[in-house]
């Protein structure tokens, strides 16, 4: 059995009873573009809402730079770099989710 078809059937089985996704289900089948849109939105949401955990786990604040670090204390600098990394991670999550929202707009209009 094709892996894409198997994944499609598993997702269909999980979503079938959900009221939120009822308007995406026509004759109990989802289009591939619906599944891809749901995937993009879910990955973007996970990245956005889990930004602090991602930054802590991968220590992304160590990779950030600050042009005015001479004007800050050590604690303020660490907090600034951490917040900068979190904001960048949240922006990346929103950029990941954007194609999913565009796909839903294209589907709903057409």
């Amino acid at each position: 059995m094709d892996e894409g078809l198997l994944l499609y059937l598993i997702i269909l089985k999980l979503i079938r009873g959900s009221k939120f996704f009822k308007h995406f289900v026509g004759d109990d089948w989802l289009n591939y573009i619906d599944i891809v849109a749901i995937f993009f939105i879910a990955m973007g949401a996970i990245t956005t809402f889990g930004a602090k955990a991602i930054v802590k786990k991968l220590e992304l604040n160590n990779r950030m730079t600050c042009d005015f670090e001479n004007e800050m204390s050590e604690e303020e600098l660490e907090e600034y770099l951490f917040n900068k990394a979190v904001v960048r991670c949240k922006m990346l999550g929103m950029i990941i989710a954007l194609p999913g929202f565009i796909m839903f707009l294209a589907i709903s209009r057409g």
Side-chain angles (χ1 to χ4, degrees), residues 69-92:
E69 59 188 44
N70 299 336
E71 301 171 11
M72 297 178 151
S73 69
E74 187 67 29
E75 294 173 359
E76 290 174 335
L77 181 63
E78 285 186 29
E79 183 181 352
Y80 172 76
L81 294 176
F82 181 78
N83 288 336
K84 185 176 178 180
V86 168
V87 167
R88 283 194 179 184
C89 191
K90 286 181 181 277
M91 290 296 291
L92 178 66

Side-chain angles (χ1 to χ4, degrees), residues 2-108:
D2 184 29
E3 289 121 14
L5 180 62
L6 183 62
L7 179 65
Y8 179 77
L9 292 174
I10 290 170
I11 292 173
L12 177 66
K13 184 70 174 172
L14 292 173
I15 294 175
R16 183 175 287 180
S18 175
K19 291 180 182 179
F20 178 75
F21 292 103
K22 278 292 188 201
H23 69 280
F24 298 117
V25 179
D27 298 322
D28 291 331
W29 290 100
L30 290 173
N31 295 329
Y32 283 113
I33 199 160
D34 292 333
I35 294 172
V36 172
I38 292 168
F39 176 76
F40 274 115
I41 292 172
M43 291 300 108
I46 289 169
T47 305
T48 301
F49 292 122
K52 283 188 179 181
I54 291 170
V55 170
K56 285 180 185 175
K57 175 87 173 163
L58 300 176
E59 297 178 359
L60 296 176
N61 56 337
N62 295 336
R63 299 181 187 175
M64 296 292 119
T65 59
C66 179
D67 295 334
F68 47 89
E69 59 188 44
N70 299 336
E71 301 171 11
M72 297 178 151
S73 69
E74 187 67 29
E75 294 173 359
E76 290 174 335
L77 181 63
E78 285 186 29
E79 183 181 352
Y80 172 76
L81 294 176
F82 181 78
N83 288 336
K84 185 176 178 180
V86 168
V87 167
R88 283 194 179 184
C89 191
K90 286 181 181 277
M91 290 296 291
L92 178 66
M94 288 185 249
I95 290 171
I96 291 171
L98 184 64
F101 290 122
I102 291 171
M103 285 181 211
F104 276 139
L105 284 174
I107 292 167
S108 66

